[in-house]
Amino acid sequence: MKLILCYPPHKAEDGHGQGREWFPIGIASLAAYVGQKYADMEIVCLDLFDLSYDDSLAVILNELNDNEVNLVGFTMMTEQRWVVLDSIEDLKQ
């Protein structure tokens, strides 16, 4: 089983978004907790903050394995909600 935790891109197509000087500690904390409880689970944290939407989707798809269960989770700030929703829709296909 593979768990992929993502921090999505920060800019929408209109170029709005925020800058940042911090690491998304929420996904790192969740990865550490899950790693303690499920030692046999592969955990990948993806910081996609500075990528375009298409590039971030390509990185996630590259991490997915066809022959095993894949779980994908996102953390986000409010302005990233539409990027996350679009990502979920595209990953379902």
Side-chain angles (χ1 to χ4, degrees), residues 63-83:
E63 287 293 335
L64 295 175
N65 292 330
D66 292 332
N67 299 327
E68 63 182 67
V69 175
N70 295 285
L71 303 171
V72 180
F74 291 90
T75 186
M76 66 185 150
M77 301 296 272
T78 303
E79 69 262 8
Q80 295 166 305
R81 67 192 180 279
W82 302 117
V83 172

Side-chain angles (χ1 to χ4, degrees), residues 39-87:
D40 59 334
M41 183 181 294
E42 181 181 355
I43 302 169
V44 177
C45 293
L46 299 176
D47 184 2
L48 308 170
F49 190 79
D50 293 320
L51 298 180
S52 70
Y53 176 78
D54 291 335
D55 289 344
S56 68
L57 195 59
V59 169
I60 296 169
L61 290 171
N62 188 48
E63 287 293 335
L64 295 175
N65 292 330
D66 292 332
N67 299 327
E68 63 182 67
V69 175
N70 295 285
L71 303 171
V72 180
F74 291 90
T75 186
M76 66 185 150
M77 301 296 272
T78 303
E79 69 262 8
Q80 295 166 305
R81 67 192 180 279
W82 302 117
V83 172
V84 170
L85 182 60
D86 290 342
S87 297

